Amino acid sequence: QKEVEQDPGPLSVPEGAIVSLNCTYSNSAFQYFMWYRQYSRKGPELLMYTYSSGNKEDGRFTAQVDKSSKYISLFIRDSQPSDSATYLCAGSDYKLSFGAGTTVTVRA
Amino acid sequence: ETGVTQTPRHLVMGMTNKKSLKCEQHLGHNAMYWYKQSAKKPLELMFVYSLEERVENNSVPSRFSPECPNSSHLFLHLHTLQPEDSALYLCASSQDLRTGLTDTQYFGPGTRLTVL
């Protein structure tokens, strides 16, 4: 069983829509949660980082962690074509585990 | 040059070849990582180095051999690979090991490897 499950998509939305990305995880020891964004032909880059449960907002991006249900979410408001990328979720208990990534296309 | 660089960007090799992947970080970090990224699969951590010492080897076949001569450079030596080893190989670095496992890792662009 994978420690972090993520629907690979692809997900296609019109410009301006809200993008909702989700992951589930199995390791209840995870305390640290990240979202990485990976553009085509590039390496992943950290987008959001949260510790334990709760919400974190950064501009158009909101990350949520619900440890009771082992659920990780990322919301992108007012999506732009430049948000088209693969989004990787990850959890860590001092050992990092990634999801498979969800490919998102925002159509102009 | 800034960030994490990787060379070559693309590599095609036969199963009997020997080649090496190179990673260099210009961030003054103390921890470096090798990952394998295959389509539709999670990133697989292969090796972790902290202060030039290997601290993790995740059951990687011996046909992959890492080398970390100093804190800025990381190599992955390849020999007698199999077609299923074709993937994107990513290098990453972090300020230190704890930061990398709980906060931010900085990734290079990867080497796209094809094994014929």
Side-chain angles (χ1 to χ4, degrees), chain A residues 24-52:
Chain A
T24 58
Y25 64 93
S26 58
N27 188 342
S28 57
F30 281 170
Q31 292 285 345
Y32 305 91
F33 302 90
M34 303 88 172
W35 282 95
Y36 279 82
R37 177 176 61 195
Q38 185 174 17
Y39 289 117
S40 179
R41 289 185 288 279
K42 301 271 189 174
E45 58 177 341
L46 185 72
L47 189 61
M48 300 280 285
Y49 151 80
T50 54
Y51 171 71
S52 196

mmCIF file of all heavy atoms in Angstrom, chain A residues 24-52:
data_model
loop_
_atom_site.group_PDB
_atom_site.id
_atom_site.type_symbol
_atom_site.label_atom_id
_atom_site.label_comp_id
_atom_site.label_asym_id
_atom_site.label_seq_id
_atom_site.Cartn_x
_atom_site.Cartn_y
_atom_site.Cartn_z
ATOM 1 N N THR A 24 -4.856 11.311 0.172
ATOM 2 C CA THR A 24 -5.063 10.618 1.440
ATOM 3 C C THR A 24 -3.761 9.933 1.807
ATOM 4 O O THR A 24 -2.948 9.614 0.945
ATOM 5 C CB THR A 24 -6.185 9.576 1.349
ATOM 6 O OG1 THR A 24 -5.856 8.634 0.316
ATOM 7 C CG2 THR A 24 -7.521 10.225 1.019
ATOM 8 N N TYR A 25 -3.566 9.731 3.098
ATOM 9 C CA TYR A 25 -2.346 9.078 3.541
ATOM 10 C C TYR A 25 -2.663 8.057 4.615
ATOM 11 O O TYR A 25 -3.722 8.098 5.242
ATOM 12 C CB TYR A 25 -1.307 10.103 4.032
ATOM 13 C CG TYR A 25 -1.724 10.891 5.248
ATOM 14 C CD1 TYR A 25 -1.383 10.464 6.529
ATOM 15 C CD2 TYR A 25 -2.427 12.082 5.123
ATOM 16 C CE1 TYR A 25 -1.748 11.191 7.651
ATOM 17 C CE2 TYR A 25 -2.800 12.823 6.230
ATOM 18 C CZ TYR A 25 -2.457 12.381 7.490
ATOM 19 O OH TYR A 25 -2.821 13.100 8.605
ATOM 20 N N SER A 26 -1.751 7.139 4.800
ATOM 21 C CA SER A 26 -2.007 6.040 5.733
ATOM 22 C C SER A 26 -1.168 6.125 7.008
ATOM 23 O O SER A 26 -1.516 5.504 8.018
ATOM 24 C CB SER A 26 -1.734 4.694 5.046
ATOM 25 O OG SER A 26 -0.391 4.639 4.584
ATOM 26 N N ASN A 27 -0.088 6.883 6.993
ATOM 27 C CA ASN A 27 0.822 6.939 8.128
ATOM 28 C C ASN A 27 0.365 7.994 9.140
ATOM 29 O O ASN A 27 0.525 9.187 8.915
ATOM 30 C CB ASN A 27 2.234 7.253 7.636
ATOM 31 C CG ASN A 27 3.281 7.146 8.726
ATOM 32 O OD1 ASN A 27 2.965 7.155 9.912
ATOM 33 N ND2 ASN A 27 4.526 7.030 8.327
ATOM 34 N N SER A 28 -0.184 7.544 10.246
ATOM 35 C CA SER A 28 -0.705 8.482 11.238
ATOM 36 C C SER A 28 0.404 9.268 11.935
ATOM 37 O O SER A 28 0.124 10.211 12.669
ATOM 38 C CB SER A 28 -1.552 7.733 12.275
ATOM 39 O OG SER A 28 -0.779 6.717 12.892
ATOM 40 N N ALA A 29 1.657 8.885 11.723
ATOM 41 C CA ALA A 29 2.777 9.605 12.340
ATOM 42 C C ALA A 29 3.180 10.847 11.569
ATOM 43 O O ALA A 29 3.985 11.647 12.050
ATOM 44 C CB ALA A 29 3.988 8.670 12.480
ATOM 45 N N PHE A 30 2.636 11.040 10.369
ATOM 46 C CA PHE A 30 2.981 12.230 9.588
ATOM 47 C C PHE A 30 2.616 13.484 10.383
ATOM 48 O O PHE A 30 1.528 13.604 10.914
ATOM 49 C CB PHE A 30 2.214 12.251 8.263
ATOM 50 C CG PHE A 30 2.767 11.364 7.196
ATOM 51 C CD1 PHE A 30 2.047 11.140 6.036
ATOM 52 C CD2 PHE A 30 4.008 10.755 7.320
ATOM 53 C CE1 PHE A 30 2.532 10.316 5.026
ATOM 54 C CE2 PHE A 30 4.504 9.931 6.325
ATOM 55 C CZ PHE A 30 3.759 9.710 5.174
ATOM 56 N N GLN A 31 3.564 14.413 10.454
ATOM 57 C CA GLN A 31 3.329 15.697 11.110
ATOM 58 C C GLN A 31 3.511 16.858 10.139
ATOM 59 O O GLN A 31 3.015 17.950 10.385
ATOM 60 C CB GLN A 31 4.319 15.874 12.273
ATOM 61 C CG GLN A 31 4.088 14.920 13.429
ATOM 62 C CD GLN A 31 2.873 15.312 14.255
ATOM 63 O OE1 GLN A 31 2.361 16.423 14.146
ATOM 64 N NE2 GLN A 31 2.389 14.391 15.063
ATOM 65 N N TYR A 32 4.270 16.632 9.090
ATOM 66 C CA TYR A 32 4.625 17.688 8.146
ATOM 67 C C TYR A 32 4.025 17.336 6.787
ATOM 68 O O TYR A 32 4.105 16.189 6.351
ATOM 69 C CB TYR A 32 6.140 17.823 8.034
ATOM 70 C CG TYR A 32 6.809 18.056 9.367
ATOM 71 C CD1 TYR A 32 7.252 16.985 10.131
ATOM 72 C CD2 TYR A 32 6.970 19.342 9.867
ATOM 73 C CE1 TYR A 32 7.836 17.186 11.364
ATOM 74 C CE2 TYR A 32 7.567 19.554 11.095
ATOM 75 C CZ TYR A 32 7.997 18.470 11.845
ATOM 76 O OH TYR A 32 8.575 18.669 13.061
ATOM 77 N N PHE A 33 3.446 18.352 6.135
ATOM 78 C CA PHE A 33 2.763 18.116 4.872
ATOM 79 C C PHE A 33 3.163 19.203 3.876
ATOM 80 O O PHE A 33 3.247 20.377 4.233
ATOM 81 C CB PHE A 33 1.242 18.117 5.081
ATOM 82 C CG PHE A 33 0.794 17.090 6.085
ATOM 83 C CD1 PHE A 33 0.697 17.414 7.432
ATOM 84 C CD2 PHE A 33 0.493 15.800 5.684
ATOM 85 C CE1 PHE A 33 0.310 16.460 8.370
ATOM 86 C CE2 PHE A 33 0.105 14.843 6.597
ATOM 87 C CZ PHE A 33 0.017 15.165 7.948
ATOM 88 N N MET A 34 3.418 18.785 2.654
ATOM 89 C CA MET A 34 3.872 19.721 1.626
ATOM 90 C C MET A 34 3.095 19.528 0.334
ATOM 91 O O MET A 34 2.583 18.432 0.052
ATOM 92 C CB MET A 34 5.366 19.496 1.297
ATOM 93 C CG MET A 34 6.307 19.600 2.459
ATOM 94 S SD MET A 34 6.455 17.962 3.250
ATOM 95 C CE MET A 34 7.788 18.296 4.408
ATOM 96 N N TRP A 35 3.032 20.583 -0.432
ATOM 97 C CA TRP A 35 2.589 20.527 -1.819
ATOM 98 C C TRP A 35 3.724 21.070 -2.679
ATOM 99 O O TRP A 35 4.217 22.175 -2.434
ATOM 100 C CB TRP A 35 1.330 21.357 -2.048
ATOM 101 C CG TRP A 35 0.092 20.680 -1.568
ATOM 102 C CD1 TRP A 35 -0.522 20.848 -0.356
ATOM 103 C CD2 TRP A 35 -0.695 19.717 -2.286
ATOM 104 N NE1 TRP A 35 -1.631 20.041 -0.283
ATOM 105 C CE2 TRP A 35 -1.763 19.341 -1.446
ATOM 106 C CE3 TRP A 35 -0.596 19.138 -3.549
ATOM 107 C CZ2 TRP A 35 -2.727 18.411 -1.833
ATOM 108 C CZ3 TRP A 35 -1.544 18.221 -3.934
ATOM 109 C CH2 TRP A 35 -2.600 17.865 -3.084
ATOM 110 N N TYR A 36 4.129 20.275 -3.655
ATOM 111 C CA TYR A 36 5.130 20.694 -4.616
ATOM 112 C C TYR A 36 4.433 20.867 -5.975
ATOM 113 O O TYR A 36 3.510 20.131 -6.327
ATOM 114 C CB TYR A 36 6.242 19.648 -4.756
ATOM 115 C CG TYR A 36 7.303 19.706 -3.678
ATOM 116 C CD1 TYR A 36 7.107 19.101 -2.439
ATOM 117 C CD2 TYR A 36 8.502 20.357 -3.906
ATOM 118 C CE1 TYR A 36 8.085 19.150 -1.455
ATOM 119 C CE2 TYR A 36 9.495 20.401 -2.930
ATOM 120 C CZ TYR A 36 9.269 19.804 -1.713
ATOM 121 O OH TYR A 36 10.247 19.845 -0.743
ATOM 122 N N ARG A 37 4.925 21.805 -6.764
ATOM 123 C CA ARG A 37 4.438 22.038 -8.121
ATOM 124 C C ARG A 37 5.575 21.710 -9.076
ATOM 125 O O ARG A 37 6.713 22.125 -8.866
ATOM 126 C CB ARG A 37 4.007 23.497 -8.292
ATOM 127 C CG ARG A 37 3.540 23.871 -9.691
ATOM 128 C CD ARG A 37 3.056 25.312 -9.707
ATOM 129 N NE ARG A 37 4.093 26.248 -9.343
ATOM 130 C CZ ARG A 37 3.887 27.522 -9.005
ATOM 131 N NH1 ARG A 37 2.652 28.003 -8.989
ATOM 132 N NH2 ARG A 37 4.895 28.301 -8.691
ATOM 133 N N GLN A 38 5.236 20.970 -10.130
ATOM 134 C CA GLN A 38 6.250 20.587 -11.114
ATOM 135 C C GLN A 38 5.770 20.955 -12.512
ATOM 136 O O GLN A 38 4.819 20.369 -13.029
ATOM 137 C CB GLN A 38 6.532 19.079 -11.033
ATOM 138 C CG GLN A 38 7.664 18.617 -11.935
ATOM 139 C CD GLN A 38 8.021 17.149 -11.720
ATOM 140 O OE1 GLN A 38 7.250 16.382 -11.145
ATOM 141 N NE2 GLN A 38 9.190 16.747 -12.187
ATOM 142 N N TYR A 39 6.450 21.930 -13.114
ATOM 143 C CA TYR A 39 6.170 22.276 -14.498
ATOM 144 C C TYR A 39 6.864 21.270 -15.414
ATOM 145 O O TYR A 39 7.827 20.610 -15.031
ATOM 146 C CB TYR A 39 6.669 23.687 -14.808
ATOM 147 C CG TYR A 39 5.870 24.790 -14.150
ATOM 148 C CD1 TYR A 39 6.451 25.647 -13.216
ATOM 149 C CD2 TYR A 39 4.530 24.995 -14.469
ATOM 150 C CE1 TYR A 39 5.727 26.668 -12.625
ATOM 151 C CE2 TYR A 39 3.795 26.006 -13.884
ATOM 152 C CZ TYR A 39 4.402 26.835 -12.956
ATOM 153 O OH TYR A 39 3.675 27.844 -12.370
ATOM 154 N N SER A 40 6.361 21.195 -16.641
ATOM 155 C CA SER A 40 6.912 20.272 -17.614
ATOM 156 C C SER A 40 8.407 20.537 -17.824
ATOM 157 O O SER A 40 8.831 21.693 -17.924
ATOM 158 C CB SER A 40 6.161 20.441 -18.934
ATOM 159 O OG SER A 40 6.675 19.576 -19.913
ATOM 160 N N ARG A 41 9.192 19.486 -17.814
ATOM 161 C CA ARG A 41 10.636 19.534 -18.037
ATOM 162 C C ARG A 41 11.376 20.303 -16.930
ATOM 163 O O ARG A 41 12.471 20.838 -17.144
ATOM 164 C CB ARG A 41 10.981 20.123 -19.400
ATOM 165 C CG ARG A 41 10.611 19.182 -20.557
ATOM 166 C CD ARG A 41 11.084 19.758 -21.890
ATOM 167 N NE ARG A 41 10.278 20.898 -22.302
ATOM 168 C CZ ARG A 41 9.106 20.811 -22.890
ATOM 169 N NH1 ARG A 41 8.585 19.623 -23.140
ATOM 170 N NH2 ARG A 41 8.446 21.884 -23.247
ATOM 171 N N LYS A 42 10.756 20.369 -15.755
ATOM 172 C CA LYS A 42 11.402 21.014 -14.604
ATOM 173 C C LYS A 42 11.313 20.085 -13.406
ATOM 174 O O LYS A 42 10.528 19.130 -13.385
ATOM 175 C CB LYS A 42 10.694 22.324 -14.254
ATOM 176 C CG LYS A 42 10.652 23.351 -15.353
ATOM 177 C CD LYS A 42 11.851 24.244 -15.319
ATOM 178 C CE LYS A 42 11.705 25.396 -16.285
ATOM 179 N NZ LYS A 42 12.804 26.357 -16.174
ATOM 180 N N GLY A 43 12.120 20.373 -12.384
ATOM 181 C CA GLY A 43 11.996 19.639 -11.138
ATOM 182 C C GLY A 43 10.892 20.231 -10.274
ATOM 183 O O GLY A 43 10.444 21.361 -10.489
ATOM 184 N N PRO A 44 10.423 19.471 -9.275
ATOM 185 C CA PRO A 44 9.393 20.007 -8.369
ATOM 186 C C PRO A 44 9.913 21.201 -7.572
ATOM 187 O O PRO A 44 11.103 21.289 -7.270
ATOM 188 C CB PRO A 44 9.111 18.819 -7.428
ATOM 189 C CG PRO A 44 9.594 17.609 -8.153
ATOM 190 C CD PRO A 44 10.755 18.075 -8.968
ATOM 191 N N GLU A 45 9.010 22.121 -7.217
ATOM 192 C CA GLU A 45 9.352 23.246 -6.351
ATOM 193 C C GLU A 45 8.287 23.332 -5.254
ATOM 194 O O GLU A 45 7.095 23.102 -5.508
ATOM 195 C CB GLU A 45 9.423 24.554 -7.130
ATOM 196 C CG GLU A 45 8.142 24.917 -7.852
ATOM 197 C CD GLU A 45 8.205 26.257 -8.562
ATOM 198 O OE1 GLU A 45 9.082 27.084 -8.216
ATOM 199 O OE2 GLU A 45 7.370 26.484 -9.450
ATOM 200 N N LEU A 46 8.736 23.650 -4.046
ATOM 201 C CA LEU A 46 7.799 23.707 -2.922
ATOM 202 C C LEU A 46 6.810 24.844 -3.122
ATOM 203 O O LEU A 46 7.178 25.985 -3.389
ATOM 204 C CB LEU A 46 8.550 23.905 -1.608
ATOM 205 C CG LEU A 46 7.650 23.848 -0.373
ATOM 206 C CD1 LEU A 46 7.194 22.420 -0.120
ATOM 207 C CD2 LEU A 46 8.375 24.399 0.851
ATOM 208 N N LEU A 47 5.535 24.506 -2.973
ATOM 209 C CA LEU A 47 4.462 25.495 -3.118
ATOM 210 C C LEU A 47 3.907 25.898 -1.745
ATOM 211 O O LEU A 47 3.771 27.076 -1.445
ATOM 212 C CB LEU A 47 3.357 24.894 -3.989
ATOM 213 C CG LEU A 47 2.230 25.783 -4.448
ATOM 214 C CD1 LEU A 47 2.757 26.922 -5.302
ATOM 215 C CD2 LEU A 47 1.208 24.958 -5.236
ATOM 216 N N MET A 48 3.588 24.901 -0.945
ATOM 217 C CA MET A 48 2.995 25.144 0.367
ATOM 218 C C MET A 48 3.535 24.121 1.356
ATOM 219 O O MET A 48 3.791 22.971 0.996
ATOM 220 C CB MET A 48 1.466 25.022 0.324
ATOM 221 C CG MET A 48 0.763 25.969 -0.599
ATOM 222 S SD MET A 48 0.575 27.614 0.113
ATOM 223 C CE MET A 48 -0.738 27.321 1.295
ATOM 224 N N TYR A 49 3.618 24.532 2.603
ATOM 225 C CA TYR A 49 4.090 23.645 3.653
ATOM 226 C C TYR A 49 3.210 23.879 4.884
ATOM 227 O O TYR A 49 2.935 25.023 5.240
ATOM 228 C CB TYR A 49 5.554 23.959 3.959
ATOM 229 C CG TYR A 49 5.989 23.688 5.370
ATOM 230 C CD1 TYR A 49 6.294 22.402 5.780
ATOM 231 C CD2 TYR A 49 6.099 24.734 6.281
ATOM 232 C CE1 TYR A 49 6.693 22.153 7.065
ATOM 233 C CE2 TYR A 49 6.495 24.485 7.587
ATOM 234 C CZ TYR A 49 6.797 23.201 7.976
ATOM 235 O OH TYR A 49 7.186 22.954 9.266
ATOM 236 N N THR A 50 2.736 22.814 5.513
ATOM 237 C CA THR A 50 1.956 22.951 6.734
ATOM 238 C C THR A 50 2.434 21.947 7.766
ATOM 239 O O THR A 50 2.955 20.880 7.428
ATOM 240 C CB THR A 50 0.448 22.710 6.478
ATOM 241 O OG1 THR A 50 0.280 21.447 5.828
ATOM 242 C CG2 THR A 50 -0.159 23.789 5.610
ATOM 243 N N TYR A 51 2.248 22.329 9.007
ATOM 244 C CA TYR A 51 2.594 21.454 10.108
ATOM 245 C C TYR A 51 1.310 21.051 10.821
ATOM 246 O O TYR A 51 0.494 21.896 11.161
ATOM 247 C CB TYR A 51 3.542 22.142 11.084
ATOM 248 C CG TYR A 51 3.770 21.371 12.360
ATOM 249 C CD1 TYR A 51 4.515 20.192 12.337
ATOM 250 C CD2 TYR A 51 3.218 21.796 13.564
ATOM 251 C CE1 TYR A 51 4.725 19.470 13.492
ATOM 252 C CE2 TYR A 51 3.424 21.072 14.727
ATOM 253 C CZ TYR A 51 4.177 19.907 14.681
ATOM 254 O OH TYR A 51 4.372 19.189 15.826
ATOM 255 N N SER A 52 1.115 19.749 10.991
ATOM 256 C CA SER A 52 -0.041 19.184 11.685
ATOM 257 C C SER A 52 -1.336 19.591 10.981
ATOM 258 O O SER A 52 -1.358 19.882 9.796
ATOM 259 C CB SER A 52 -0.029 19.614 13.153
ATOM 260 O OG SER A 52 -0.915 18.798 13.898
#
